[in-house]
Amino acid sequence: MASAERAGFSLLTPAASGPSVAVAFGGGGARGLSHIHIIEALDELGIRPVAISGSSIGAIMGAGMAAGMSGAEIREHALATVGNKAAVVSRIWGMRPQTVRDAVAKGIRIGQFNLERILRAFLPEELPAKFSDLLIPMKVITTDYYGQCEVIVEEGELFPALAASSAIPAVFMPVRLHNRVMIDGGIANPVPYECLMDIADIVIGIDVVGAPEGDGAHIPNRMESIFGSGQLMMQTSISLKLKLRPPQIFLRPTVGRTGVMDFLKAREVLAMSAGVKDELKFALEQAIEAHG
């Protein structure tokens, strides 16, 4: 709670003084570091969302805000951990198998990384173990692999839900959650704003999926094709959703050609996406005026 007070916003909902606000943080791997600007902008405006939703990296960033961390605190932690090569090496080294038997039994293969272990090694200690201990209600989006559907998790253990939401296919192991096999929430819902539409007066959706970029002549390699085709499918889904029922505010931070795992480029991502902070402030001003 002390973190929330330092952030400069009230622990009371904003409904008493103006329209209520909710935020949906989208998935996009390292591109989601740009969500930090959104949290900082809300801090500076003194706005505390009444609810937060998130897919993949958006769930992780949203959980930090829901736990009471300020945007500045999340920025500092990100740059000191995933944005710092020495810190990444140190924390990964701390997760190494302790014996040769463990190494042989578990191995280290692409697509088989245990994401919950990684999250526990890298995420800030401010994140609680359970959803019930968050200061702001949080909806974490996952994808039921065999059920072929979106699943919204909002109670129980927090870290398994975050791991399930962030389990990017071909990079991380699927996560067994509530006896179901779950993968990245961005597959089913890249910007999960719909679940907030009946909760708040103003819903903000933040899209950091990005899209394949190039000169139009470059033939993508295998990994570029895998991730690029995923971007294309998710953008198709987003376009359809926006036609059916758009949120009051929908923003796309500039994320350039940042790769899904380019976390070491944290400073570059934050620099190129800095303009979204003023975009959000302007959009909020207009939305509040329109609300009357």
Side-chain angles (χ1 to χ4, degrees):
M1 188 168 294
S3 295
E5 290 168 352
R6 285 198 303 272
F9 50 73
S10 170
L11 293 180
L12 300 174
T13 65
S17 58
S20 57
V21 174
V23 189
F25 294 105
R31 297 181 289 269
L33 291 167
S34 58
H35 288 316
I36 290 172
H37 295 301
I38 303 301
I39 300 171
E40 289 177 334
L42 294 172
D43 290 348
E44 291 166 13
L45 293 172
I47 294 175
R48 177 182 184 251
V50 296
I52 293 170
S53 66
S55 287
S56 200
I57 186 67
I60 293 172
M61 291 291 176
M65 186 180 198
M69 295 182 70
S70 68
E73 289 171 327
I74 296 173
R75 174 190 289 263
E76 180 180 2
H77 182 84
L79 292 177
T81 53
V82 295
N84 183 310
K85 185 175 182 178
V88 169
V89 172
S90 175
R91 291 178 188 238
I92 293 295
W93 177 252
M95 296 169 56
R96 72 193 187 282
Q98 296 301 304
T99 66
V100 173
R101 177 180 295 178
D102 287 342
V104 172
K106 298 177 182 178
I108 299 179
R109 302 187 303 278
I110 187 71
Q112 295 299 313
F113 294 111
N114 185 317
L115 186 52
E116 185 175 345
R117 285 192 67 208
I118 295 173
L119 292 183
R120 291 186 183 278
F122 280 89
L123 293 187
E125 60 183 16
E126 284 86 349
L127 265 63
K130 297 181 180 295
F131 277 86
S132 57
D133 292 323
L134 294 170
L135 299 179
I136 300 173
M138 175 81 190
K139 298 177 184 291
V140 172
I141 310 304
T142 67
T143 301
D144 186 326
Y145 183 77
Y146 292 109
Q148 306 170 39
C149 63
E150 167 186 345
V151 175
I152 300 175
V153 184
E154 48 191 337
E155 59 183 11
E157 298 290 328
L158 180 62
F159 277 82
L162 295 179
S165 183
S166 306
I168 301 171
V171 179
F172 300 112
M173 293 172 58
V175 175
R176 189 174 295 278
L177 191 66
H178 302 152
N179 294 318
R180 302 297 299 176
V181 176
M182 304 291 186
I183 60 172
D184 193 324
I187 300 297
N189 197 339
V191 188
Y193 63 80
E194 303 96 318
C195 59
L196 304 174
M197 294 295 282
D198 297 322
I199 294 176
D201 300 315
I202 298 173
V203 174
I204 304 166
I206 308 298
D207 172 18
V208 295
V209 169
E213 291 192 5
D215 58 10
H218 168 71
I219 301 296
N221 61 34
R222 184 177 63 161
M223 292 308 294
E224 288 173 338
S225 294
I226 290 173
F227 290 119
S229 60
Q231 288 176 302
L232 293 174
M233 288 188 290
M234 286 188 278
Q235 287 296 357
T236 298
S237 170
I238 292 169
S239 295
L240 177 59
K241 293 198 314 169
L242 291 174
K243 290 178 182 178
L244 294 173
R245 190 184 184 189
Q248 285 74 24
I249 297 173
F250 190 83
L251 299 175
R252 287 187 166 108
T254 299
V255 292
R257 300 186 66 180
T258 306
V260 69
M261 297 303 293
D262 282 344
F263 287 97
L264 288 176
K265 295 181 180 179
R267 294 184 188 277
E268 295 175 39
V269 175
L270 287 169
M272 76 174 72
S273 59
V276 77
K277 183 183 290 188
D278 287 335
E279 286 184 57
L280 176 57
K281 290 180 178 180
F282 179 72
L284 273 169
E285 180 181 349
Q286 289 188 314
I288 291 170
E289 288 180 2
H291 187 267

